[in-house]
């Protein structure tokens, strides 16, 4: 049943079992977690040691102010890295930021980093970019680590086989002050995707499919390990897209066991271990994958062959369907969810039972920590190569970092895009959350490769349809929702 | 920095019978440019509460004089989406002390508890009963008793018990804050760091 908002995975045709055998092997999650517990509060949460803390301008100023009020320092500044990404313009970054409040916030971050001795990859720094793009590309993110950031999509870093999750600002202060975090141990879930992916299906489609099946609360309370042959076959960047959106199914975080693909990606990056250190690290990382007899509190399995290019029709990421399918009819929606569904339909101005194919598109956004990496730009560029942008659409292509931008330049992607009538902007979160000027105008329809289609997320009154980079590309050249497979 | 103590609360309720209220609705991103914790209450639910010109929308519950109180009662999966603690600051800043729902998103729950805002998770049935009671009589009060972990629709029930982590309960009852606790065990953390260096 399509509901886009049910929690109950039990209703699906899936296996579920409880973990009550204490002699069983350990999961990837448990191995890392157990290694990082400093101590346990009586009857309460564990004190978890944090290996890496990423900081950005929006959720950190109150935390630094807290330290100042208490008269304390950052406990381990060398484990903390800051970037400006959420609140920056994507044009004219060499100029002072025009919006006064944004400028103040970005300057405040620089001031705080200076005062507390934290490394900052600020605006115009060659390593600047979206926090979840730069951590991996600089080799700061590595298997076996505990990683946090005041941003829910910190789950992205779990693709390397690390425990990575988003925290609130009080917790940011906690980690700055103590390098630890009070955390209750979540339950564990494994989601297996088995088999071969169909033509035109990207990792974004896999994750949108899972969320459409289990709902936006389907994994609340769990840490999810993604496994199965379809996941193993993915590149690191594709894996990041999946872990990135694990928060949209309610999960505390998502992770994928490290393997040769992971080591290959990390090797040689700026902050990756080198020489004998590297060999030692890889040796340790090889021990991380879940033991064959490890048990999960819950396990779900999906068939890769059931997944087609996905698109969302509603106002939460669980309201997604295969692009050839129709929006559910009212009677197919669970009773308790009908009011919410109706509100969504009104906001989107769609009719239950409508087909998505052919719906008009005003904007296309390629970018964000979900799909703003080089492989995403490559996929988009190779799709539009030799074609022309549709006249009725405005397209924003925003690389996830300066390194992605430079790579796109080097590979000739910028040129391909420009020849097809597109322009590439400067890196940042941009229209993903529309804190800067990149806002989709009220009532306009946007196909977006980002992760949230909430009301007003991309600007007040903006109507978002989430999709993969190539589904976005298909919309950009046809000006309407189009099955990308028609062009493959 | 001590948080506000929470012991027992009796209050009327503000009903918001919508599911999956995400933090982008609670406080839209364009209001996140502030660098202090104050003032977010004014923009709580901004896009539902005000029209484009900034005028209050009459059909939104916060603008309905029938409803007021320190308890927000909301549909299931409240607080999903972004980790922004600004959502908890906005709710607390507006004057809410507790949110009642049948399901909360994880990060939101942590953020609330860290700000003395109590998330009270009740059964679907209890939530429906409460919504019905408020609809029938907007002056309906609830009592939230943290010590005994009990929520009661006044004057004579029904009531239901709710879960809370014992450590967090102690913090709220006493107004303790996590950072003070962690700073107190810094020797422990130091020893652990040496061992794992
Ligand atoms: S790109 Fe979007 S989801 Fe990712 S960190 Fe930025 S605002 Fe958050």
């Amino acid at each position: 049943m399509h509901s886009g908002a049910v929690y109950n995975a039990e209703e699906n045709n899936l296996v579920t079992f409880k973990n009550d055998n204490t002699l069983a092997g350990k999961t990837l999650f448990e191995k890392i977690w157990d290694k990082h517990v400093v101590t346990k509060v009586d009857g309460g949460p564990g004190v978890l040691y944090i290996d890496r803390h990423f900081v950005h301008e929006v959720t950190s100023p109150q935390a630094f102010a807290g330290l100042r009020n208490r008269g304390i320092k950052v406990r381990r500044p060398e484990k903390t890295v800051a970037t400006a990404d959420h609140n920056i313009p994507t044009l004219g970054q060499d100029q002072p930021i025009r919006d006064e409040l944004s400028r103040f916030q970005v300057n405040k971050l620089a001031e705080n980093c200076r005062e507390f001795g934290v490394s900052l990859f600020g605006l115009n720094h060659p390593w600047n970019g979206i926090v979840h793009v730069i951590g991996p590309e600089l080799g700061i993110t590595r298997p076996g680590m505990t990683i946090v950031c005041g941003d829910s999509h910190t789950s992205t870093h779990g693709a390397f086989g690390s425990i990575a999750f988003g925290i609130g600002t009080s917790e940011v202060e906690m980690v700055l002050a103590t390098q630890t975090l009070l955390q209750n141990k979540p339950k564990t879930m494994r989601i297996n995707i088995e088999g071969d992916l169909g033509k035109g299906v990207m990792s974004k489609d896999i994750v949108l499919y899972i969320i459409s099946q289990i709902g936006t609360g389907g994994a609340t309370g769990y840490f999810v390990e993604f496994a199965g042959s379809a996941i193993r076959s993915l590149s690191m960047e594709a894996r990041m897209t999946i872990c990135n959106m694990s928060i949209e199914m309610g999960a505390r975080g998502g992770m994928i066991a490290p393997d040769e693909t992971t080591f290959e990606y990390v090797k040689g990056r700026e902050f990756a271990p080198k020489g004998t250190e590297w060999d030692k690290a890889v040796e340790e990382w090889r021990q991380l994958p879940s033991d064959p007899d490890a048990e999960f509190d819950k396990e779900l399995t999906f068939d890769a062959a059931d997944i087609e290019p996905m698109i969302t029709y509603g106002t939460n990421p669980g309201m997604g369907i295969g692009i050839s399918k129709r929006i559910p009819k009212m009677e197919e929606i669970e009773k308790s969810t009908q009011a919410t569904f109706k509100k969504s339909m009104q906001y989107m101005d769609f009719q239950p039972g409508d087909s998505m194919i052919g719906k008009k598109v005003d904007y296309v956004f390629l970018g964000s920590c979900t799909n703003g990496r080089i492989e995403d730009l490559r996929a988009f560029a190779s799709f539009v190569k030799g074609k022309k942008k549709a006249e009725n659409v405005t397209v924003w292509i925003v690389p996830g970092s300066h390194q992605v931008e430079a790579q796109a330049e080097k590979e000739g992607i910028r040129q391909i895009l420009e020849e097809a009538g597109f322009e590439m902007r400067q890196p940042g979160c941009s229209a993903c959350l529309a804190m800067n000027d990149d806002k989709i105008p009220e009532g306009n329809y946007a196909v977006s490769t980002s992760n949230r289609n909430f009301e007003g997320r991309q600007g007040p009154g903006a109507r978002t349809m989430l999709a993969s980079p190539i589904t976005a590309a298909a919309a950009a050249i046809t000006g309407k929702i189009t099955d990308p497979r028609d062009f493959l | 920095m001590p948080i506000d103590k929470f012991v027992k609360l009796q209050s009327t309720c503000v009903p918001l019978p919508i599911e999956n209220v995400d933090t982008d609705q609670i406080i839209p991103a364009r209001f996140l440019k502030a660098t202090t914790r104050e003032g977010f209450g004014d923009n709580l639910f901004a896009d539902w509460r005000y029209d484009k010109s900034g005028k209050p929308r009459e059909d939104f519950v916060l603008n309905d004089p029938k409803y007021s109180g320190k308890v927000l009662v909301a549909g299931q999966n409240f607080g999903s989406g972004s980790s922004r603690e600004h959502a908890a600051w906005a709710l607390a800043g507006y004057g809410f002390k507790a949110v009642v729902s049948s399901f909360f998103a994880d990060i939101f729950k942590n953020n609330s508890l860290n700000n003395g805002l109590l998330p009270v998770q009740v059964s679907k049935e209890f939530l429906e009963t409460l919504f019905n009671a408020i609809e029938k009589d907007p002056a309906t009060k609830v009592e939230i008793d943290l010590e005994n972990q009990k929520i009661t629709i006044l004057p004579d029930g029904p009531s239901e018990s709710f879960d809370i982590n014992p450590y967090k309960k102690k913090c709220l009852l006493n107004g303790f804050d996590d950072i003070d606790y962690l700073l107190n065990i810094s020797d422990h953390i130091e020893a652990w760091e040496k061992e794992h260096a």
Side-chain angles (χ1 to χ4, degrees):
Chain A
M1 168 175 271
H2 283 295
S3 79
V6 248
Y7 311 117
N8 225 331
E10 255 96 353
E11 284 167 12
N12 295 303
N13 50 337
L14 311 156
V15 206
T16 297
F17 55 80
K18 247 348 250 164
N19 179 1
D20 49 13
N21 181 358
T22 46
L23 293 175
K26 278 188 173 188
T27 63
L28 164 66
F29 175 83
E30 285 160 342
K31 289 181 190 180
I32 305 172
W33 178 278
D34 290 352
K35 221 184 135 191
H36 287 82
V37 174
V38 175
T39 180
K40 235 182 119 26
V41 182
D42 255 356
V47 177
L48 193 68
Y49 196 80
I50 301 302
D51 294 323
R52 282 295 173 276
H53 185 193
F54 292 104
V55 169
H56 65 85
E57 76 277 23
V58 177
T59 57
S60 69
Q62 296 86 352
F64 282 112
L67 297 184
R68 220 171 274 127
N69 286 341
R70 290 173 202 262
I72 54 179
K73 294 196 259 207
V74 173
R75 182 180 170 87
R76 293 283 175 248
E78 74 280 7
K79 293 182 190 284
T80 313
V81 170
T83 183
D85 55 2
H86 280 64
N87 198 359
I88 57 173
T90 54
L91 290 176
Q93 289 187 353
D94 52 331
Q95 309 288 319
I97 301 177
R98 269 184 316 178
D99 181 278
E100 197 186 332
L101 289 173
S102 300
R103 190 174 65 241
F104 185 78
Q105 199 174 48
V106 170
N107 288 344
K108 193 83 197 164
L109 178 70
E111 228 174 79
N112 284 331
C113 287
R114 219 175 302 124
E115 178 180 341
F116 289 94
V118 169
S119 307
L120 166 68
F121 306 143
L123 218 51
N124 297 314
H125 190 290
W127 292 343
N128 171 264
I130 303 172
V131 58
H132 311 310
V133 175
I134 66 165
E137 78 183 1
L138 289 169
I140 300 173
T141 299
R142 302 200 289 266
M145 284 181 160
T146 48
I147 301 173
V148 296
C149 171
D151 185 285
S152 56
H153 293 98
T154 308
S155 56
T156 314
H157 307 259
F160 290 80
S162 61
I163 293 184
F165 55 92
I167 55 178
T169 298
S170 294
E171 294 171 312
V172 170
E173 186 180 341
M174 212 180 288
V175 178
L176 289 173
T178 70
Q179 204 58 39
T180 63
L181 198 60
L182 284 168
Q183 277 297 303
N184 292 306
K185 191 172 176 178
K187 291 179 281 184
T188 57
M189 184 191 294
R190 180 158 60 190
I191 298 181
N192 305 296
I193 311 290
E194 301 289 356
D196 296 328
L197 291 170
K199 194 173 76 168
V201 176
M202 301 184 79
S203 69
K204 179 65 161 287
D205 301 308
I206 300 179
V207 71
L208 283 173
Y209 176 80
I210 299 171
I211 305 167
S212 75
Q213 296 299 303
I214 71 174
T216 54
T220 301
Y222 292 90
F223 224 93
V224 176
E225 179 177 339
F226 297 96
S229 58
I231 301 288
R232 293 256 72 82
S233 71
L234 297 175
S235 70
M236 271 328 287
E237 297 199 355
R239 292 179 188 184
M240 283 188 243
T241 302
I242 293 187
C243 289
N244 173 278
M245 288 195 72
S246 50
I247 180 76
E248 309 315 334
M249 54 189 91
R252 201 70 184 87
M255 63 203 312
I256 293 173
D259 58 10
E260 296 308 319
T261 307
T262 321
F263 309 148
E264 195 51 45
Y265 178 97
V266 178
K267 195 173 183 179
R269 292 190 182 260
E270 201 65 37
F271 293 94
K274 310 266 152 53
T276 54
E277 286 292 309
W278 169 259
D279 298 335
K280 225 179 87 199
V282 172
E283 200 41 53
E284 273 177 36
W285 298 342
R286 286 190 201 284
Q287 314 304 317
L288 289 172
S290 296
D291 296 329
D293 59 341
E295 289 187 357
F296 292 79
D297 294 304
K298 192 167 194 169
E299 185 147 13
L300 311 175
T301 300
F302 297 98
D303 186 348
D306 291 343
I307 307 175
E308 61 167 338
M310 297 286 294
I311 186 119
T312 64
Y313 58 85
T315 55
N316 74 54
M319 303 175 90
I321 46 174
I323 197 158
S324 69
K325 306 260 170 29
R326 289 172 174 277
I327 299 174
K329 299 205 179 90
M330 192 53 95
E331 58 271 23
E332 292 165 337
I333 298 293
E334 253 189 37
K335 201 133 197 288
S336 68
T337 308
Q338 284 184 356
T340 308
F341 175 76
K342 202 169 147 209
K343 188 168 182 295
S344 254
M345 289 295 101
Q346 276 164 358
Y347 183 85
M348 295 298 290
D349 197 17
F350 288 160
Q351 294 303 319
D354 271 3
S355 161
M356 288 302 286
I357 298 279
K359 286 215 178 291
K360 110 174 163 133
V361 173
D362 307 300
Y363 279 76
V364 169
F365 172 59
L366 175 72
S368 87
C369 59
T370 313
N371 282 127
R373 284 173 289 266
I374 191 68
E375 285 182 9
D376 303 311
L377 267 65
R378 276 183 203 139
F380 189 98
S382 72
F383 195 97
V384 302
K385 189 171 181 180
K387 306 187 180 73
K388 281 275 177 248
K389 180 181 89 64
E391 290 204 346
N392 62 313
V393 275
T394 304
V395 180
W396 291 334
I397 298 174
V398 183
S401 72
H402 281 283
Q403 294 211 67
V404 171
E405 185 185 25
Q407 185 67 24
E409 196 80 56
K410 205 166 107 191
E411 292 181 15
I413 289 175
R414 184 193 287 277
Q415 204 186 334
I416 294 172
L417 293 174
E418 281 172 2
E419 281 166 10
F422 300 97
E423 66 163 345
M424 199 162 77
R425 298 168 81 97
Q426 290 172 303
C429 293
S430 179
C432 173
L433 91 164
M435 258 189 99
N436 66 358
D437 289 341
D438 308 347
K439 292 179 175 55
I440 311 294
E442 181 170 358
N444 279 230
Y445 290 94
V447 173
S448 178
T449 66
S450 58
N451 42 55
R452 286 184 174 142
N453 51 349
F454 299 149
E455 283 184 29
R457 169 77 178 187
Q458 298 198 284
R463 293 168 170 153
T464 302
M465 297 170 280
L466 301 174
S468 79
I470 63 167
T471 302
I477 55 169
T478 60
K480 52 188 191 216
I481 301 292
T482 303
D483 190 331
R485 291 171 296 189
D486 295 352
F487 290 87
L488 299 176
Chain B
M1 257 191 328
I3 54 169
D4 282 352
K5 283 189 199 179
F6 190 113
V7 183
K8 200 188 257 188
L9 173 72
Q10 285 195 358
S11 169
T12 49
C13 307
V14 177
L16 188 67
I18 300 170
E19 295 180 352
N20 299 312
V21 174
D22 57 78
T23 53
D24 272 85
Q25 308 315 320
I26 301 175
I27 183 89
R30 60 186 187 282
F31 298 113
L32 307 186
K33 296 182 182 184
T35 52
T36 66
R37 289 174 186 240
E38 284 78 44
F40 289 102
D42 295 341
N43 295 314
L44 175 66
F45 296 119
D47 289 340
W48 289 345
R49 193 168 153 198
Y50 307 109
D51 67 14
K52 258 181 296 175
S53 65
K55 266 214 335 270
R57 291 179 200 261
E58 271 173 34
D59 59 351
F60 186 61
V61 65
L62 291 191
N63 301 321
D64 187 338
K66 274 207 305 284
Y67 302 107
S68 65
K70 296 193 166 98
V71 178
L72 180 70
V73 184
Q76 69 177 347
N77 202 21
F78 187 82
S80 57
S82 155
S83 61
R84 59 187 71 158
E85 193 161 317
H86 313 68
W89 299 337
L91 288 159
Y94 182 83
F96 288 118
K97 292 276 176 206
V99 185
V100 179
S101 176
S102 56
F103 198 84
F104 291 97
D106 278 338
I107 305 182
F108 175 79
K109 207 190 273 186
N110 281 351
N111 287 341
S112 306
L113 288 165
N114 284 333
N115 286 281
L117 177 72
L118 182 66
V120 180
Q121 188 160 327
V122 296
S123 67
K124 276 189 179 173
E125 295 72 39
F126 187 88
L127 186 69
E128 209 180 304
T129 311
L130 180 55
F131 274 134
N132 289 338
I134 301 167
E135 197 186 315
K136 247 182 38 223
D137 179 9
T140 301
K141 279 190 176 179
V142 292
E143 177 180 275
I144 298 170
D145 177 354
L146 179 57
E147 182 75 60
N148 295 303
Q149 296 177 222
K150 218 168 102 183
I151 174 167
T152 309
I153 303 176
L154 297 177
D156 38 34
S159 59
E160 191 170 273
S161 53
F162 59 86
D163 277 344
I164 180 169
N165 179 291
Y167 165 79
K168 274 292 168 197
K169 177 176 169 182
K170 204 164 112 192
C171 287
L172 277 176
L173 286 172
N174 297 293
F176 292 161
D177 127 315
D178 287 348
I179 299 184
D180 293 332
Y181 172 83
L182 289 172
L183 288 172
N184 275 331
I185 61 159
S186 60
D187 287 356
H188 229 98
I189 299 172
E190 187 124 3
W192 190 94
E193 279 177 328
K194 284 220 178 82
E195 207 180 300
H196 291 81

